[in-house]
Amino acid sequence: MKLKLLTAALCLSVMGVAVGGASATTLDDTKARGTVRCGVNTGLPGFGYQNDQGEWAGLDVDYCKAIAAAVFNDASKVVYSPLSAVQRFPALQNSEVDVLSRNTTWTMSRDTALGLTFAGVNFYDGQGFMVKKALGVNSALQLSGATVCVQSGTTTELNLADYFASNNMQYNPVVIEAQSDVNSAYDSGRCDVLTTDQSGLYASRLELATPDDHIVLPELISKEPLGPAVRQGDDQWFNVVKWTHFALLNAEELGVTQANVEQMKQSPNPEIRRLLGVEGTFGADAGMSADFVVNVVKAVGNYGEIFERNVGQGSQLKIARGQNALWSKGGLQYAPPIR
Ligand SMILES: N[C@@H](CCC(=O)N[C@@H](CS)C(=O)NCC(=O)O)C(=O)O
């Protein structure tokens, strides 16, 4: 209920009210306000959702906390705005949020026509399909003629059309704005198939009446590199978000964890000393404190810790690291050095 009211209020402000643009830089405004305004999912387990205590949690939410820890040394200094797929871009464009951290795919048109800038990829994903086991289907190529539930305003809707057209298959789309309604439509049998990012399928399956009656098909029909985005035209803020992300990856690569970050400050390894601000002026040059990475890792852990806690083995989702492993472990996650 609380969530619905919040979303409704936000929706109104997206449609009607012009919230004043940034007067100074986003970093100055953020510091003056004392909070980071973070656009998150309305409720996607593992990524952005409110837990049983009503607290925001998830991999994307930990990025909001990491940015707040980087700027304020206080991960609680975040104002969360739950945004649907359709609401998310206007909210960022109209300066209602400072950063969008919400399972959003980095695409060319979002970088150009929408005027956004992606600060990196914090989850390499791809679009998949879920069906009821009882349908007896084990490949997406058997789905011709199916009714497919899909959310509007997403890359998902576009990829779906491309996939069926390029495989000469027919389908009946049921296009719905709110993902919770998409999920209930599928659960109630209105559609044979549910399609979204594979991460979202595993998250949605947990919320179905009988999760074990459904399978995620093996095909991935698209690349969905998900990551935090900011408005174009403010390189200083872009750097804050980008280097918070890179710091999380570099911390994992260098073995700096939430538990050992304090003692790692004594490390003789020059890369660790630069990362933790013991040497150099890297943090200050970016408008943050010298030891911003210490504050970030103390608050949320390194990237691997964030992953495992929210979507990996420490979570109900149990998603494998796969492409999200570090480059040094066969994955795609790679950060430039602090130099
Ligand atoms: N990654 C895709 C899809 C993102 C997306 O919005 N996915 C849905 C399904 S997992 C979602 O998060 N819906 C929740 C909502 O809109 O409240 C995109 O950026 O367009």
Side-chain angles (χ1 to χ4, degrees), residues 16-290:
V17 185
V19 178
S23 51
T25 68
T26 307
L27 182 59
D28 288 344
D29 285 347
T30 300
K31 284 181 177 168
R33 191 190 313 116
T35 52
V36 176
R37 298 170 311 171
C38 207
V40 293
N41 202 294
T42 54
L44 185 62
F47 290 86
Y49 66 106
Q50 281 177 295
N51 65 20
D52 296 341
Q53 288 76 49
E55 295 150 351
W56 284 99
L59 181 142
D60 288 333
V61 165
D62 277 351
Y63 267 68
C64 304
K65 292 182 183 172
I67 296 163
V71 175
F72 300 116
N73 187 17
D74 185 345
S76 73
K77 300 285 184 210
V78 182
V79 173
Y80 295 98
S81 284
L83 299 170
S84 74
V86 175
Q87 292 168 333
R88 62 187 156 169
F89 301 126
L92 184 58
Q93 288 162 334
N94 297 340
S95 294
E96 290 164 27
V97 295
D98 304 308
V99 57
L100 185 65
S101 185
R102 183 208 174 282
N103 60 314
T104 294
T105 308
W106 183 353
T107 68
M108 185 167 177
S109 58
R110 290 171 181 178
D111 257 3
T112 55
L114 295 192
L116 311 183
T117 299
F118 283 79
V121 178
N122 64 6
F123 192 93
Y124 287 94
D125 205 348
Q127 183 173 336
F129 296 103
M130 179 158 66
V131 294
K132 288 178 191 62
K133 282 182 186 161
L135 213 61
V137 161
N138 50 32
S139 159
L141 293 169
Q142 298 169 286
L143 292 178
S144 193
T147 302
V148 185
C149 275
V150 60
Q151 190 178 20
S152 55
T154 57
T155 49
T156 319
E157 196 185 350
L158 310 173
N159 299 327
L160 176 67
D162 288 354
Y163 182 76
F164 276 77
S166 58
N167 286 296
N168 286 319
M169 303 192 312
Q170 309 299 316
Y171 72 108
N172 307 309
V174 175
V175 183
I176 300 174
E177 188 188 331
Q179 187 64 30
S180 51
D181 296 337
V182 177
N183 294 350
S184 1
Y186 170 75
D187 210 9
S188 70
R190 212 173 131 199
C191 310
D192 306 310
V193 184
L194 177 64
T195 185
T196 186
D197 296 344
Q198 207 174 63
S199 56
L201 289 180
Y202 286 111
S204 299
R205 185 162 65 167
L206 294 176
E207 296 183 331
L208 297 177
T210 48
D212 290 344
D213 290 350
H214 304 264
I215 52 162
V216 175
L217 297 177
E219 287 88 355
L220 280 183
I221 66 162
S222 66
K223 290 186 286 188
E224 304 292 331
L226 312 179
V230 295
R231 281 178 297 284
Q232 279 175 18
D234 187 339
D235 292 347
Q236 182 193 40
W237 182 245
F238 174 47
N239 273 331
V240 167
V241 177
K242 180 168 60 175
W243 281 94
T244 299
H245 169 57
F246 289 154
L248 291 167
L249 291 174
N250 281 324
E252 179 180 9
E253 190 176 331
L254 293 167
V256 175
T257 66
Q258 199 165 20
N260 72 14
V261 57
E262 266 307 322
Q263 79 213 49
M264 279 294 203
K265 288 202 259 181
Q266 314 303 324
S267 165
N269 178 335
E271 278 187 278
I272 295 179
R273 294 174 75 77
R274 287 195 296 274
L275 176 76
L276 301 182
V278 182
E279 278 173 22
T281 57
F282 302 98
D285 293 344
M288 298 178 282
S289 63

